[in-house]
Amino acid sequence: MSEPFFPVRIGLLLVEPKRGLAGIIARKGGGVRDALYLVLVAVVAFRLPDLVRAFLSFSRVSTTGALTQLVGVVGSEVRTAAFVALISALAIVVLAGRGRRDPSLGLELGAACYIPYFCVWSPIRFLALDAVRGDAPVLASRIARVVAWASVLTFIALSVWLVRRQGPGEVAVAPPPTVGSGLVAGLGVFIVLALPAFTLVLSGTWCARHYDLLRPLGRSDKAPDFTLARADGPGGSVKLSDLRGHVVLLDFWATWCPPCLAMLPTLDDLYREWHPRGAEFVGIDSDGPQLSRAELQAFLARQPSPYPVVLDDKEVGGLYGVYSIPHLVVVGRDGAIARVFVGGVGRDQIAAALRAASE
């Protein structure tokens, strides 16, 4: 059977949800595909600065680091859509009743439940853009969360009702198109795509004006100087410029980051090997305000570090373009960045970078 265009399908689901869901049941598909389309829209419209930063990382940092960032951006959007779709699909399949349970159809209908969720959250995500406010009002976010899940529950209830009203094995027939289909399509485009389209233009302009901010630090860039307070035993502070003439490894990490913690024994071992050769390591804790100084000191008492550990003041990570951890920066004797690693990395790769920076 013929299928309406994407705007018509979305418009039906939002303006006439009963009819739109009935169409998915009749076609036995379409919900997953449309949800994936909206995930793509979300990535491009609401995560454009992150995409630009990731693509610039291919030439500025490394292919591995860039791919890690891309996977993180796309993965976060997919996770949200998958969570809504799978929870909804499970509820629909369970409540459909004996003889009417169809996991495949349930997944299609569950994916359709993400569409109103996307629409409700779009204004909140717009407000959270750096080009607009930088964050969304707490009250508005809470209200949007309630409305979003209420709309999901409404779609689940309608889906269950439509499935249960069919007899077991009965073939559903999609409602015929009406004279208002064109209006519905236009309304669907406006509700779903107008704000993301405007967001894309606004974010594109912001990215062009803030290119230097998005451009990640990479090879040959001068490492930004900083002075940060030590969190380990001796106290005092560490100033990067005081280490000029040494090869320096900066490790941006956090206590909540399993890959970071997994790398600590490797870094400890490398420090003991390279410190006699003139290398200096600095651990930069990136936990932020959720971890107090006392809590970090308690962590370091349980797992002491042979090299200084400092507390980031929320600015140094931004100077170095740290948007995911672990994030390692190898600085040469001249103060220029020699290598950047994003994500988990092996001992041999770090040792090779230290060796190259020492030559």
Side-chain angles (χ1 to χ4, degrees):
M1 61 179 294
S2 60
E3 185 178 40
F5 291 116
F6 174 65
V8 177
R9 297 194 303 269
I10 297 298
L12 285 173
L13 282 167
L14 295 174
V15 181
E16 300 181 54
K18 188 184 300 183
R19 186 170 161 223
L21 292 169
I24 292 176
I25 294 173
R27 296 188 299 271
K28 293 190 178 296
V32 172
R33 181 187 53 206
D34 289 345
L36 289 175
Y37 285 164
L38 289 185
V39 167
L40 180 61
V41 169
V43 169
V44 174
F46 298 112
R47 303 296 298 273
L48 184 62
D50 296 324
L51 288 178
V52 171
R53 188 179 294 113
F55 280 114
L56 290 174
S57 295
F58 276 102
S59 58
R60 301 293 305 162
V61 181
S62 67
T63 300
T64 302
L67 288 175
T68 299
Q69 292 184 56
L70 278 176
V71 169
V73 171
V74 177
S76 64
E77 299 297 333
V78 172
R79 280 195 301 271
T80 300
F83 179 75
V84 174
L86 292 176
I87 291 294
S88 302
L90 179 62
I92 292 168
V93 172
V94 170
L95 298 174
R98 185 174 300 175
R100 297 180 178 85
R101 294 189 177 110
D102 182 346
S104 176
L105 179 59
L107 182 59
E108 295 290 345
L109 292 170
C113 295
Y114 170 69
I115 293 169
Y117 184 95
F118 171 90
C119 294
V120 172
W121 266 108
S122 289
I124 301 300
R125 302 195 67 180
F126 174 78
L127 293 176
L129 292 173
D130 288 332
V132 183
R133 283 176 51 100
D135 61 352
V138 174
L139 180 60
S141 298
R142 290 175 178 173
I143 293 173
R145 182 174 290 108
V146 172
V147 174
W149 280 106
S151 65
V152 170
L153 291 174
T154 300
F155 268 55
I156 291 174
L158 280 174
S159 299
V160 172
W161 180 77
L162 288 168
V163 171
R164 289 180 68 90
R165 71 195 293 256
Q166 293 181 167
E170 182 180 334
V171 178
V173 178
T178 64
V179 292
S181 293
L183 178 61
V184 170
L187 187 59
V189 170
F190 178 77
I191 293 175
V192 181
L193 302 180
L195 183 58
F198 177 68
T199 301
L200 180 60
V201 173
L202 191 65
S203 291
T205 303
W206 186 88
C207 290
R209 292 177 176 176
H210 296 82
Y211 174 82
D212 289 339
L213 180 64
L214 297 175
R215 176 179 171 270
L217 289 175
R219 298 180 183 91
S220 300
D221 286 330
K222 184 178 180 180
D225 194 17
F226 61 81
T227 301
L228 292 176
R230 292 186 64 163
D232 51 349
S237 62
V238 173
K239 186 175 184 179
L240 181 62
S241 57
D242 289 344
L243 303 178
R244 183 68 59 84
H246 298 269
V247 172
V248 181
L249 185 145
L250 305 177
D251 172 31
F252 291 88
W253 68 288
T255 58
W256 52 260
C257 170
C260 300
L261 301 183
M263 288 184 61
L264 290 181
T266 298
L267 293 176
D268 290 358
D269 184 49
L270 283 168
Y271 176 76
R272 290 186 173 90
E273 177 184 344
W274 282 88
H275 182 61
R277 307 184 195 182
E280 298 288 349
F281 287 23
V282 180
I284 302 178
D285 178 76
S286 304
D287 277 286
Q290 65 268 26
L291 187 77
S292 68
R293 182 186 184 90
E295 290 172 325
L296 178 58
Q297 289 175 333
F299 175 88
L300 293 174
R302 296 191 303 270
Q303 190 167 332
S305 171
Y307 49 84
V309 176
V310 298
L311 283 165
D312 192 358
D313 58 4
K314 297 188 296 186
E315 293 184 4
V316 175
L319 289 174
Y320 280 82
V322 178
Y323 294 95
S324 63
I325 52 177
H327 187 110
L328 305 180
V329 180
V330 178
V331 182
R333 300 181 190 278
D334 58 354
I337 293 174
R339 188 69 190 273
V340 177
F341 297 102
V342 179
V345 61
R347 185 186 192 282
D348 291 344
Q349 291 175 280
I350 301 173
L354 292 170
R355 190 177 303 111
S358 301
E359 294 175 352

